[in-house]
Amino acid sequence: MYKDLTISHELNDGKAGISWPLLPIFAVLGLLAYACFSSAVSAWLADSLAILLAYTLVQTGLCLSQKTAWIKHASQRWVMLVVFMLLALLAGIWIEAVFWPPLTASHAVWLLPAVLIVFIFATVLPAAIDLEIRHRTQASLAAEASKHKMERQMLEARLAALQGQIEPHFLFNTLANTRALIHQDAAMAEQMLNHLIAYLRAAMPDMRLSTTTLGQELDRAAAYLQIFQIRLGSRFQFSVQATDEVRSCLIPPLAVMSLVENAIKHGIEPQPGDVRIDITASSAAGQLQIKVSDNGRGFQDELGSGVGLLNVQERLLALFGDQAELQLQPRDIGGVCASISLPARTGELA
């Protein structure tokens, strides 16, 4: 009998998985049959039958309040439970009056109602409160999940829009330079076209994705810088350094490319003389560090006035929140060091 007094704490599709009081129902029916057909009815049997019947009715009311489809709100569940509590109290008093032995002195009028109320409050009421807490917790989690999903979709839509804003000026400049080189140095023009094709082959598949690998991004950056090496001549040099381990880490597409474009546009092209860009990537304590350093013109009023750096910040915020950051710092030897710090992950980004 006591096995069915426990309440299952599992929630299934928003409905509490509680047990119907099958064993108490059978026990009540058995005691009723015994009391009806036996000549040795005792006060103990009448009290036990009253308490067990009261519990069975209240537990049934709790199950109905939790499992009835049209009951959606907590107030409706509590009203139904209170109604069944009153029915249980009246049924317990009535059943004891019916089966109380005729020649046995009755106890105080208030005793049985008090016992029934205490028993109900001690068994069913804590379970009802626990179920309501679980209902509220589940509703809160569902609302939070829905809000998070909506925010995620909005961020991804914004991210897709931002990715389409990467400045394409170098494509037009590269094609114009290639056209000019065709008449001056056909071999060099062919080499520039090969680098452009390599860049587009690496860049285009990931333009619409929310993540790419650092290795793919570095390949894009290398092809991009090789184009500028042809355009700027021997005065421009670059290096890309990253281990195979960090190359497999996931990053937002065009994050490194935005820093490289910013360095080329605002630092390298306006600076006369020998210039260079160094890209390094390393991992420590679960954080991926990416640095794009140049020895160009350094901080100027127009640095980062375009959408490039804004794109990087928005992508990092959309994918990593406050776990990632973008920093720009002046270098002692001149130029700027742009660095990205983000979690080093190789699986799906949440």
Side-chain angles (χ1 to χ4, degrees):
M1 179 180 70
Y2 297 103
K3 184 177 180 180
D4 273 46
L5 297 182
T6 60
I7 305 296
S8 171
H9 297 311
E10 296 181 358
L11 297 176
N12 184 16
D13 295 332
K15 295 185 178 181
I18 59 176
S19 302
W20 292 96
L22 298 179
L23 290 182
I25 289 174
F26 290 135
V28 168
L29 294 177
L31 289 177
L32 280 174
Y34 177 79
C36 291
F37 297 103
S38 175
S39 58
V41 178
S42 63
W44 177 88
L45 179 61
D47 286 338
S48 299
L49 186 56
I51 293 174
L52 191 57
L53 178 61
Y55 165 77
T56 303
L57 287 174
V58 176
Q59 177 71 4
T60 301
L62 178 61
C63 291
L64 285 174
S65 67
Q66 298 294 329
K67 296 187 176 185
T68 303
W70 57 267
I71 296 180
K72 303 294 185 181
H73 303 290
S75 59
Q76 295 174 318
R77 291 191 290 269
W78 281 112
V79 167
M80 177 173 283
L81 185 60
V82 169
V83 170
F84 271 84
M85 284 183 176
L86 294 175
L87 289 175
L89 186 61
L90 295 176
I93 295 173
W94 174 78
I95 204 74
E96 185 183 66
V98 171
F99 291 101
W100 189 263
L103 300 180
T104 304
S106 60
H107 43 61
V109 177
W110 55 267
L111 182 59
L112 181 63
V115 171
L116 293 177
I117 292 174
V118 171
F119 185 77
I120 290 171
F121 279 20
T123 56
V124 179
L125 191 61
I129 294 174
D130 179 68
L131 289 170
E132 288 304 324
I133 292 174
R134 292 174 181 273
H135 272 292
R136 292 192 178 187
T137 302
Q138 188 183 47
S140 177
L141 291 175
E144 187 68 22
S146 178
K147 179 181 177 182
H148 177 75
K149 182 179 179 181
M150 184 174 297
E151 289 178 350
R152 180 73 176 181
Q153 290 174 343
M154 293 177 63
L155 286 172
E156 288 177 351
R158 190 176 182 184
L159 173 61
L162 288 170
Q163 287 178 189
Q165 296 177 10
I166 297 296
E167 291 184 295
H169 66 277
F170 86 98
L171 286 174
F172 298 105
N173 291 338
T174 301
L175 292 174
N177 289 336
T178 303
R179 183 176 60 183
L181 282 174
I182 290 176
H183 303 289
Q184 302 174 10
D185 189 338
M188 187 67 71
E190 182 181 2
Q191 187 177 357
M192 180 173 282
L193 279 177
N194 289 335
H195 291 320
L196 180 59
I197 292 171
Y199 170 80
L200 293 175
R201 182 179 291 114
M204 297 307 293
D206 292 337
M207 285 288 289
R208 298 181 181 272
L209 301 180
S210 60
T211 58
T212 186
T213 65
L214 176 60
Q216 291 171 318
E217 186 75 352
L218 293 180
D219 291 341
R220 282 190 283 272
Y224 178 86
L225 292 174
Q226 284 170 339
I227 293 173
F228 271 92
Q229 197 169 44
I230 295 176
R231 288 175 53 184
L232 299 179
S234 60
R235 77 182 188 92
F236 174 62
Q237 300 295 325
F238 73 91
S239 67
V240 179
Q241 298 180 2
T243 64
D244 292 339
E245 181 181 0
V246 298
R247 286 177 65 90
S248 63
C249 292
L250 296 180
I251 64 169
L254 305 180
V256 175
M257 280 302 308
S258 296
L259 301 185
V260 172
E261 283 187 345
N262 195 76
I264 290 287
K265 181 177 180 180
H266 299 288
I268 297 300
E269 285 187 319
Q271 178 76 359
D274 293 339
V275 288
R276 69 177 291 115
I277 288 179
D278 296 296
I279 304 175
T280 60
S282 60
S283 177
Q287 285 290 114
L288 178 63
Q289 297 283 341
I290 306 170
K291 293 183 179 181
V292 177
S293 304
D294 68 78
N295 64 342
R297 189 168 55 167
F299 281 108
Q300 302 293 327
D301 292 338
E302 72 273 16
L303 180 63
S305 60
V307 297
L309 298 183
L310 175 61
N311 283 348
V312 176
Q313 291 174 327
E314 292 290 346
R315 291 184 216 133
L316 293 176
L317 176 63
L319 294 173
F320 302 101
D322 57 2
Q323 292 182 300
E325 65 175 343
L326 167 66
Q327 290 185 341
L328 295 177
Q329 296 178 333
R331 301 180 67 193
D332 295 337
I333 61 174
V336 175
C337 176
S339 63
I340 296 176
S341 175
L342 68 161
R345 301 176 185 172
T346 57
E348 290 291 333
L349 295 179

